[in-house]
Amino acid sequence: MRIRSISSLPILLLCLVFPGLSQARNITSVGEVDYPDLPFSVEGLNLGQVSGNALAFGGVENVDGEKRWNRDAYLLGDGGTEWEKASLDLILADASFASDEKTLYALGGVTPEGPSKAVFSISLEGEDLKKRELTDLPVFLEDLSATISGSTLY
């Protein structure tokens, strides 16, 4: 998969003109599907799809001015009623995400060490989540959008 960066200026302008676009929403249902509550509440939560399963992981919680990084990951199967704890060795918040049929791609974000240029693919192999490191981004990215078109990740 090729990785290309495009200017984020149009997205930035949209968020400045329509500030509500950059605010988190508390969405509990989509269409006719109701999702169970997540077992944790953090800022900068990473949420995407892996092989038809919802994957939630990472994020950070501010407690008395101190950042506490969430090290947990949870999967929700198609039609599932309960999030199941999963193992994923990736501490990350505010990353950009895109999914194809089987893989979730995480770009940039923030780690306990600071802003990140890292790119990862996350897939489900059997019942285990597998993280693979891909080529780093040329610049730090945080809290933006990503998409896949054909075989290119933007």
Side-chain angles (χ1 to χ4, degrees), residues 19-152:
L21 292 176
S22 63
Q23 301 299 315
R25 303 280 187 243
N26 185 13
I27 298 172
T28 59
S29 67
V30 178
E32 298 295 318
V33 180
D34 288 324
Y35 294 98
D37 290 340
L38 286 165
F40 57 90
S41 176
V42 295
E43 298 173 8
L45 174 69
N46 303 298
L47 184 64
Q49 185 176 8
V50 177
S51 295
N53 299 279
L55 170 64
F57 72 95
V60 65
E61 181 179 13
N62 287 309
V63 178
D64 297 327
E66 182 181 326
K67 287 186 176 183
R68 293 191 186 162
W69 292 87
N70 179 35
R71 301 175 188 287
D72 295 332
Y74 290 87
L75 284 169
L76 178 67
D78 188 23
T81 59
E82 193 171 307
W83 291 91
E84 296 181 25
K85 195 162 187 177
S87 178
L88 179 63
D89 183 28
L90 183 56
I91 301 170
L92 184 65
D94 292 321
S96 302
F97 289 93
S99 296
D100 58 21
E101 291 91 28
K102 295 184 178 187
T103 305
L104 174 68
Y105 297 91
L107 299 87
V110 180
T111 69
E113 290 77 35
S116 176
K117 294 180 182 181
V119 178
F120 300 97
S121 68
I122 303 167
S123 58
L124 192 59
E125 296 181 12
E127 294 186 13
D128 297 324
L129 289 170
K130 297 293 181 187
K131 173 192 77 172
R132 291 182 180 78
E133 293 184 29
L134 304 176
T135 304
D136 282 356
L137 297 166
V139 296
F140 297 108
L141 291 181
E142 176 185 346
D143 214 10
L144 295 174
S145 296
T147 191
I148 296 173
S149 179
S151 62
T152 304

